[in-house]
Amino acid sequence: MSAILEINGVTAGYGAAPVLQDVSISVPTGTICAVLGANGAGKTTLLRTLSGLLKPTAGQVVFDGQDLREVKVEHLIRLGLAHVPEGRGVVTELTVDENLRLGGLWRKDRADARRALDEVYQLFEPLQRRRSSAGHQLSGGERQMLALGRALVARPKVLLLDEPSLGLAPRVTAQIMALLRQLRDDTGLTVLLVEQNVRSALSVADEGVVMSLGRVVVSTSAEQLRGDDELRHAYLGF
Ligand code: ATP
């Protein structure tokens, strides 16, 4: 299977001391890859590096055959790389509909941007009902759907998703995970899923990566991680 995202020996951080150290991950096209690990392991830093917010001091990221050092951050979304950060980044003063339209504002093919918007409304039925509500009126689950929906309006090939379950009821988390599975199966979307909620993430993931202190310590199939008690006890604490 070809890999749409190749992270090769990446070192990156915020100052002199790197957070990520020699991180290599290969994400096969059309799969969900869970990135797991304790607080401070470097998961968010990894996503920031992939979406160009942090520059690697060593190593290389290749997205869809293109070396990201050669791509401007603002062009990443056009190439098909979308990042939904932790905290979600919904514009609370704007309505649901306005937030979603922001996701497709840059697109030249206006007809397809409208189609993508309709598809997102079909996918997230609660957003349809809340179309005219302001962002600040939404529940946590609705905001997470909105952040996801806004990224999907851009029709990404790869979705970088940071802690989508944060603060959500288990039922809502399960809905979001089911949706990711549906998107993978129906559209071939690739997802890099950062999660503290290990069980939820492994319930949908194909691949699993465990990080500790800025390094990748395990990289295997999600099935292996689900089934191997020793591995789970050692790295995931359950
Ligand atoms: P969490 O689940 O708590 O977000 P994480 O695995 O995503 O954990 P990161 O947020 O990537 O971990 O943090 C990794 C390390 O980088 C931590 O030691 C943290 O203190 C440090 N760090 C994170 N953000 C910054 C920043 N803006 N400036 C300096 N150091 C930072």
Side-chain angles (χ1 to χ4, degrees), residues 14 19 38-46 48 86 163 196:
Y14 302 93
V19 173
N39 272 338
K43 305 179 300 294
T44 295
T45 304
L46 173 68
R48 286 191 186 139
E86 199 174 0
E163 302 271 3
Q196 294 276 348

Side-chain angles (χ1 to χ4, degrees), residues 63-230:
F63 166 65
D64 208 13
Q66 206 157 358
D67 187 332
L68 289 191
R69 283 174 298 197
E70 289 152 18
V71 179
K72 289 199 181 125
V73 178
E74 59 270 31
H75 290 159
L76 281 175
I77 188 73
R78 291 165 205 255
L79 291 179
L81 189 71
H83 184 187
V84 182
E86 199 174 0
R88 298 156 200 175
V90 162
V91 185
T92 50
E93 294 80 8
L94 297 182
T95 64
V96 165
D97 198 59
E98 287 163 343
N99 266 285
L100 287 177
R101 283 170 195 276
L102 278 182
L105 219 50
W106 56 274
R107 298 195 59 201
K108 291 214 174 65
D109 186 345
R110 299 313 304 162
D112 191 59
R114 268 192 301 277
R115 268 198 302 278
L117 185 67
D118 287 342
E119 285 169 22
V120 164
Y121 276 127
Q122 276 166 24
L123 210 55
F124 298 96
E125 193 258 335
L127 294 184
Q128 177 75 269
R129 273 183 278 124
R130 302 287 256 150
R131 209 175 174 123
S132 307
S133 303
H136 65 80
Q137 295 174 304
L138 304 183
S139 68
E142 288 167 342
R143 277 192 206 196
Q144 184 58 59
M145 286 180 196
L146 181 53
L148 247 175
R150 191 173 57 184
L152 293 175
V153 169
R155 289 205 193 283
K157 295 176 186 157
V158 171
L159 195 60
L160 308 174
L161 209 48
D162 203 349
E163 302 271 3
S165 77
L166 202 72
L168 300 186
R171 187 182 47 83
V172 183
T173 299
Q175 275 172 7
I176 301 246
M177 296 298 157
L179 222 125
L180 294 179
R181 191 187 289 137
Q182 186 187 339
L183 286 164
R184 174 200 60 193
D185 293 346
D186 295 354
T187 70
L189 180 71
T190 305
V191 183
L192 198 61
L193 173 66
V194 162
E195 261 299 338
Q196 294 276 348
N197 190 335
V198 174
R199 283 172 206 273
S200 288
L202 287 181
S203 73
V204 293
D206 303 290
E207 309 286 324
V209 169
V210 183
M211 293 185 66
S212 174
L213 301 174
R215 293 180 185 274
V216 172
V217 287
V218 177
S219 182
T220 184
S221 69
E223 195 181 357
Q224 178 87 19
L225 273 176
R226 281 191 295 263
D228 189 326
D229 291 345
E230 246 172 73

